Structure formats: C-alpha cells, structure tokens
Amino acid sequence: MKTWSDRYSAVVGFVVAVALLAQASSTVLPGLARQVDPSRMGAGVALVALAYAGYLALARAFGPVATSAADAAWLVLSPLPRRGVLRKTAAILLAVSLLGGLALAVGLLSALGVPDRLTLRLLTAAVLGMSATIGGMAAAVLAQASQAWDSWLLAAIISVVVLAVLAAVMGSGPWRPLLAAIAGAPAHVASAIAVASAVAAAVLARRAWTALERVPARRILAASTRAGHVTTATVLLDPGALTWIAEDEHWRRRGLRSRPWPPRLPGPLALAWSDWRRLARRPGRSALLLASAALPALAAHAGGGLTTAALVVVAAGALGAAAACTAGARRDGDDPSLVRLSGVGIRPALAARTLLPALVGGAWVSAALTGLVAVGALREGPWWLFGPAAAPALAAGALRMARRHPVDHSMPIIPLLGAAVPTGPVIWALTGADLAALGCAPAMLALSSQPPALGPYLVAQALSGAGMAAVFLLRRRVR
C-alpha cells in the first residue's frame, strides 16, 4: 500500500522530470525551425529509422512485460487478475513509450526540418512519434503473448531496417525530390496522417491491454528475471555483466554440434580458437557489425560533414567491434585457473586472443573510413590503411576492457563544476578506452585535421598501435 512519502517522491520526481524536459526543449526546439538540405534528409531519416528499429528490438528482447521479483514469484502465479497485477508495469511501459516518442519526433524534425508553422508541425511530429512508439510497444506485448505476433514484430523490425536503407539511398539519387516533397507536405496532410496513426496505436494498445491476461506466466517470469539482472548489473554491481546476460541468453536456447579443433595449432592459438568459432556461429551478429560500419557515413552525411558526432561514432564503433570478440579473454579474467589448467601461460594466451579483435576492429575502421570518403566527408586518399595501423591498439584496448574489474563504488566522489562525480564508474568506463585513445591518437588527429599527405600519420599510427599493444602484452602484470 502506498504511503504519503511514496506519493510525495512520485510527485517530486515528476516535477523534476518536467523541469529537465522543459530546459532541454528550450535548447533544442528553436534550432528545428529551419530548412534542411535535401541531400542530407535521407541520411537523417535513415538514422531515425534505425533508432526506431533498435527500440523495437529492445522491446522484443526484454519481454517487455516484466515485474519485480516478489510480484513475479507470488502475484503472477496467484489467482489474482493478471491485468491488476501488471497495472504498474503497463504504466511504466507507457511512460517509456511516450518519452521515446518525443525523442523520435525531435529526431524526425531535425532530419526533415520545419519549413513553416512550427507549433503545428511540432505537435504533429510528437503525435506521430508517440503513436509509433506506443504501437511498437503494444506489438511487443502482443508478441510476448502470441508467437504469430512475434513473427509480425520481427517482420516489422526488418521492414524498418529496409526503410532505413532505402532512405539512405534515396537521399543521394534521383529520388531526392521525393524526400523534399515529403518534408514540404502541407501541414494538414501530416496532421491527418498523425490522427490515423494515433487511432491505430490506440487500437493496438487496447489489444495489448486485453492480451495481458493471456501472456504465459513462464514468459513473464523469464522477462522479470532478465530485467532484474539487468537492473542489478546497471545500478549496483557491474555494467559489464549486461553482455554476459545477453550472451548466456543467446546460447541457452541453442543446441551446438561438437566439432574437432583444427589440428597442429599451437597451444595459445588452440585456446583462442573458441573466439573464432563463437563469431562464426553467430553470422547475424557478424552481419550487424559489418552493417554498423555505415553509421559514421550516415552521421557525417546528416550533419553536413565530419562533425564531432561522426568522430565519436567512429571511435565508439571501432572499439565496440573489437570488444565484441573478447569473450574468451573475459572468461580468462573471471577464472584464471582455467588458463592455468590448459597449460598455456596468461601472456601467450592473451597474445593469441589479440588476433581476432585486431582483425575485426581494423576491418571495421577500414570500412567506416571508406564510407566517409564515399560520402565526401573525407578527402580522397588511402584512409582505409588506418584500419590495419590502428588494429593493435584497438585490440589492446578491447582486451583491457574485457579484463577490467567490476565498478568500485567505494572510491571517493569528486565535486566538479557544482556536481558530484563518482570516480568508480568513471575509472571503470575509461579502463581500456584510454589505451585505445592513446594508441589511435595519430589516426584521430588525421581525421580531425585531414592533412593533404597521410604518409607521416600512417607511419605514426602504425608505430603507436604496435607500441601500445606491445606495452599491454609485455608489462609485468597482465590484468
């Protein structure tokens, strides 16, 4: 039963959220009333579509109907009406959908621009965005209750991704006037579409509310357990555990055939072969990594050049691609006795495990820089060579990330610019990224300045990358 303190906390939280949204709106909204270059519309719409596809994929992956551990253990399995038990969960999903819809609306207006009637077009975009997110969340709830709806939701995610690809292609070809016509459509036409989408979202939301009674208890329990682990890992323990949760959830539902390892492999390479097999057994993840190399080009094209956001996407994507191939190193860090039982030293095993993240990270950087050259964000030149040159530094940073300790919440809090900064999460986040940043400094300097001659920067990057990897592997304590 709620007390007055609970209601007071809820009201204060709501007021603070409204104040933060109002401050953010006062900063963002004045910049929307502008015309957008038609050549940049396609990339912007593609980014918005990819964000919406990610929203649908997350909703499908997390359940989304989940509740607390106590409610999942007692109330869900009790004879109580299911919708009454899940009323709070439905309210949370609705709030998440509304906030996601507002963010989607701002992104859509940023991509298409506002040629006239800012207030009306802003309301129209907000209705469209919230209708899309509420409808998507309702479809995810229906997918949790029905396998047929799950297939429809998966088809919808694929369709949105295809739409993003088409928008990116249309923005740079003879279809460009079509995007300009959509952006400049009369306000009453957009309003009619928004009303129709709101009606469709309301119908889906009603069906989802009715379907709460039919969601199997086992799926609610599984989603509740997953959400509880994610919340605990994020707030209390170790955000790095989120990757283990996703990894274990993937392999738990699959049966694998046993295959012999390649013969005549040295001990360290034989130990590292599991990472290669894991990557080969997930072709969808490999295809997603390869496709994500186009994100820097989309960000640069939407922003009108190699902006800071595009550089951040390049850096984060390169390190993320390398870190996606370090599951074996994380296992070794969590349980060093397994490496000792294998008869392979920690340093040789770690050196063998650098090959795959170096290959994947370097290939991702080469593909991303090639895309930036293709859209005109970089001048012509052998930019793709920075991929192999930066590969050792990316591998060293990714392996250090894989072997870092959990967040130390006992570290002091530093007052900085009027705010309290906890040093534990900050140090955890910088561990690994610092090595990659230092090792890839020549490449980032070349990207920011775009010199006419890339030779000196390539040589400096090759030496810096190799030196960083050597320092990481040869230091006295490999951790």
Side-chain angles (χ1 to χ4, degrees):
M1 184 176 180
K2 289 186 177 180
T3 63
W4 283 106
S5 62
D6 295 333
R7 294 186 177 91
Y8 173 77
S9 300
V11 170
V12 170
F14 177 76
V15 171
V16 171
V18 170
L20 292 176
L21 286 176
Q23 182 180 3
S25 301
S26 63
T27 305
V28 174
L29 295 182
L32 297 178
R34 58 186 175 83
Q35 295 282 351
V36 177
D37 186 358
S39 64
R40 295 163 47 190
M41 287 183 183
V45 173
L47 290 176
V48 173
L50 288 176
Y52 183 59
Y55 168 83
L56 294 179
L58 284 177
R60 180 173 179 263
F62 276 96
V65 179
T67 185
S68 63
D71 291 347
W74 297 97
L75 298 183
V76 172
L77 301 177
S78 68
L80 293 174
R82 183 70 58 79
R83 282 182 292 185
V85 173
L86 299 175
R87 188 181 300 273
K88 182 179 179 180
T89 299
I92 293 174
L93 295 180
L94 179 61
V96 170
S97 300
L98 292 176
L99 292 177
L102 291 177
L104 197 68
V106 172
L108 188 61
L109 289 178
S110 299
L112 296 178
V114 183
D116 55 5
R117 307 180 71 176
L118 173 62
T119 303
L120 180 58
R121 290 189 181 273
L122 181 61
L123 290 176
T124 301
V127 173
L128 279 173
M130 289 187 289
S131 300
T133 51
I134 291 175
M137 187 65 75
V141 173
L142 292 169
Q144 195 173 2
S146 169
Q147 186 62 38
W149 272 98
D150 185 69
S151 301
W152 281 108
L153 181 58
L154 182 60
I157 295 173
I158 296 174
S159 301
V160 174
V161 173
V162 172
L163 177 64
V165 175
L166 291 178
V169 173
M170 290 168 58
S172 58
W175 299 96
R176 184 183 300 173
L178 178 60
L179 284 176
I182 293 175
H188 66 274
V189 176
S191 300
I193 296 175
V195 171
S197 63
V199 172
V203 172
L204 280 176
R206 177 63 182 174
R207 293 197 61 175
W209 175 251
T210 306
L212 287 179
E213 294 287 351
R214 304 193 306 269
V215 179
R218 68 179 186 277
R219 295 188 178 179
I220 297 179
L221 295 178
S224 302
T225 302
R226 187 162 52 247
H229 288 169
V230 169
T231 303
T232 302
T234 304
V235 178
L236 298 177
L237 297 177
D238 179 16
L242 298 176
T243 55
W244 277 141
I245 295 172
E247 190 83 9
D248 293 341
E249 181 69 18
H250 173 81
W251 296 113
R252 187 180 295 116
R253 296 174 294 178
R254 286 164 174 78
L256 302 176
R257 291 184 300 172
S258 178
R259 293 182 180 180
W261 286 357
R264 299 180 181 178
L265 274 182
L269 293 179
L271 190 64
W273 182 247
S274 61
D275 292 333
W276 296 78
R277 291 294 302 138
R278 184 181 287 106
L279 183 66
R281 280 172 167 162
R282 300 191 65 174
R285 187 181 185 184
S286 303
L288 185 61
L289 280 177
L290 180 61
S292 65
L295 290 178
L298 284 176
H301 196 42
L306 193 61
T307 59
T308 303
L311 290 176
V312 170
V313 172
V314 171
L319 190 56
C325 305
T326 59
R330 291 191 61 189
R331 298 278 185 189
D332 295 345
D334 293 340
D335 192 358
S337 60
L338 292 177
V339 183
R340 290 193 290 267
L341 289 174
S342 66
V344 178
I346 295 179
R347 188 171 285 109
L350 199 58
R353 293 195 187 278
T354 60
L355 298 178
L356 182 60
L359 176 64
V360 174
W364 194 95
V365 171
S366 296
L369 296 184
T370 301
L372 289 173
V373 173
V375 299
L378 291 176
R379 64 175 64 191
E380 294 293 333
W383 289 94
W384 66 272
L385 291 176
F386 280 105
L394 293 174
L399 289 173
R400 193 181 184 204
M401 288 174 59
R403 299 173 63 85
R404 59 189 167 188
H405 296 284
V407 176
D408 185 4
H409 293 285
S410 65
M411 298 186 70
I413 297 179
I414 300 176
L416 183 64
L417 299 178
V421 179
T423 56
V426 171
I427 291 177
W428 181 91
L430 293 179
T431 301
D434 51 356
L435 283 185
L438 290 174
C440 298
M444 297 304 295
L445 183 60
L447 288 174
S448 59
S449 61
Q450 297 194 35
L454 297 179
Y457 290 89
L458 285 171
V459 173
Q461 178 56 57
L463 294 177
S464 176
M468 188 58 64
V471 169
F472 173 72
L473 292 174
L474 297 179
R475 59 181 178 170
R476 186 172 60 88
R477 187 183 177 210
V478 181
R479 181 62 192 170

